Amino acid sequence: MAVNPSAGAAVAALNLRYLLDYPGEAAIKLEMMGTQEIAELLSAQPLHAIVPVWEQLASDVEQSVIGLLPDDMARHLLTELEPALAAGLLTRQDPEPRQRYLALLNIQIADELRKLMAYPADSAGGMMDPRVLALRADLSAQDALTRLRTLRRRDMREIYLVDDGGQLQGRIEIQDIAMAPPELSLRRLQRKIAAVVTDVAPREEVVELLGRSDVTDLPVVDYSGRLVGVIRQSAMMSAVQEEASLDIQTMVGASKEERALSKAGFAVKKRLPWLQINLLTAFLAASVVGIFESTIAQFTALAVLLPVVAGQSGNAGAQALAVTMRGLVLREISLRHWPKVVLKELSVGFFNGLAIAATTAVGVYIWSGSLGLVMIIAAAMVISMVAAGLAGALVPIMLSRFGQDPAQSSSIILTTVTDIVGFFSFLGIATLLSGMLQPTS
């Protein structure tokens, strides 16, 4: 029987509308289909309609389907997905296909995903097995067993239940599923999660959780609570042994990193180079003050207020730096998020600058009675706090982009920027508006 072309076009249009308007429901429907059928259906859709649905798919389904998609579609998915989701998808692949997919991507995007996949060896992410089965709670026991047989994994003791956003909800032992009536919902079999750890948690935290909880497998989640893997019992036992060995090394001072009881010479070796660099940047900031030496000599009130501007901008920059560093460490943000992060910190710096400038203006006017001095310090305060927000957000991101450790040198660079901008803006505006100031007698 010939297919009516108009009917086929109508079905395709309805499928597209459904995928765009109800991606969560569409993902649930797709999970009930065979992987080949899913791949064929998605391959027939425009690329912009696939990403929202893909973000809702169960991890085991997307892992199987991506290998059946055309390379162009796979590249688009890995490029448009949130970096954490794309990295998780690649992590669950075998090494050979993982490298093939990375080769399809833009070099910068591929490098970013490699960094997201490269957890430190002594972190929970470095110890976890990313191949974990996560199912929806309304799935039946029979459907769950079908998915288990597809994976063909013999080392799994339990599976995990997640909501539509992939966030961890509970756990079920596989033997409970095998013994349950086929039509019974997994929700009825759900057990509480005894313990959970974040992917960036250090090995010490994993060992501490083991001491407090009786678990055989430890689920690992990312910053948003999304399940990304599980630490198997063998890996947990290795972590306990390594932690015990590390404690012994620390007690005898054999650690490679400085600790509270490290030798003074070791501490000096680690700290002195950065202190020397900080000294150089301090001289750089002092040279800016030297440029305006004549202005300061003419209006000594400027010297009194100079630390106020620099100190306030330094605090604002430290706040932006702390938030950005936390976002990078917890993988809340990646290098691709830098425009949003910078714009947010610029806005925060501007509005905080206006508020602080108003408070400062009142204090300076009460102290000096000079409207000129009030205008100068208010303008400089806004400029310096905007620059501090920009530097606090941009410095750690740029250091990460160039492969440097932002935790080690961000504060030094930030201090240099805030001091120079604070000094230059305050003294530069004072020089321009010197006609509004009363010279020191």
Side-chain angles (χ1 to χ4, degrees), residues 335-351:
L335 301 184
R336 270 190 277 173
H337 290 111
W338 76 264
K340 292 182 180 179
V341 177
V342 169
L343 182 61
K344 172 226 172 182
E345 292 299 341
L346 282 174
S347 301
V348 172
F350 177 72
F351 290 112

Side-chain angles (χ1 to χ4, degrees), residues 190-303:
Q190 177 177 327
R191 300 187 183 188
K192 291 183 178 180
I193 299 292
V196 66
V197 68
T198 60
D199 54 354
V200 295
R203 182 179 55 236
E204 292 88 343
E205 185 173 333
V206 174
V207 174
E208 182 182 352
L209 278 173
L210 289 178
R212 299 201 309 256
S213 308
D214 182 18
V215 295
T216 55
D217 290 336
L218 183 62
V220 181
V221 298
D222 64 9
Y223 70 93
S224 64
R226 187 187 298 113
L227 181 67
V228 293
V230 61
I231 301 178
R232 305 291 181 193
Q233 189 175 34
S234 59
M236 290 192 287
M237 291 303 99
S238 296
V240 172
Q241 294 172 357
E242 291 176 9
E243 184 63 19
S245 174
L246 181 61
D247 289 341
I248 295 173
Q249 291 178 0
T250 304
M251 285 189 293
V252 298
S255 175
K256 293 182 179 180
E257 299 296 329
E258 181 186 350
R259 301 197 179 260
L261 299 179
S262 296
K263 293 182 179 180
F266 180 83
V268 170
K269 181 180 178 181
K270 289 290 184 181
R271 300 181 192 181
L272 185 57
W274 292 107
L275 290 174
Q276 297 284 16
I277 293 173
N278 194 43
L279 180 62
L280 292 176
T281 60
F283 276 120
L284 182 62
S287 67
V288 174
V289 178
I291 297 175
F292 300 97
E293 183 178 357
S294 59
T295 303
I296 296 174
Q298 189 176 2
F299 309 104
T300 54
L302 298 176

